């Protein structure tokens, strides 16, 4: 990462975003309407919804899904004009799979 590997940075950023999204509470699980104004909570973070906690398996499943998504997209890019994009997607998938194998961490 110190060498500013753009492929790794791209793969890790989007995967971290996917993990963050997975921890979010869906809108239908939150209260659609709140109490009266005078009963509203005050203070920093008073309106924050509790996030889900992912276990190790949940994280692994999301990372695998992100890698699979990249490999599927690369397989669909068969036109010569998209060869560079397909190579980049395969490289991003390899980065993610390397982290799952335990060899991607510094």
């Amino acid at each position: 990462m110190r060498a500013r590997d753009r492929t790794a940075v791209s793969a890790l950023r989007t995967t971290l975003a996917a993990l963050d999204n997975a921890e979010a509470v869906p809108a239908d699980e939150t209260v659609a309407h709140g109490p009266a104004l005078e009963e509203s909570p005050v203070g920093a973070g008073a309106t924050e919804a509790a996030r889900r906690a992912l276990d190790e398996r949940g994280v692994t499943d999301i990372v695998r899904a992100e890698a699979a998504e990249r490999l599927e997209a690369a397989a669909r890019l068969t036109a010569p004009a998209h060869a560079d994009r397909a190579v980049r997607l395969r490289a991003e998938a390899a980065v993610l799979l390397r982290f799952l194998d335990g060899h991607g961490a510094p």
Side-chain angles (χ1 to χ4, degrees), residues 1-6 8-9 106:
M1 294 291 280
R2 291 183 189 260
R4 297 184 187 243
D5 182 354
R6 289 184 183 193
V9 169

Side-chain angles (χ1 to χ4, degrees), residues 27-35:
D28 61 341
E29 289 183 20
T30 60
V31 177
H33 59 283

Side-chain angles (χ1 to χ4, degrees), residues 71-90:
L71 292 173
E72 290 169 11
R76 288 190 304 265
L77 295 173
T78 58
H82 299 295
D84 290 342
R85 174 83 174 128
V87 167
R88 192 169 86 233
L89 287 168
R90 286 186 189 97

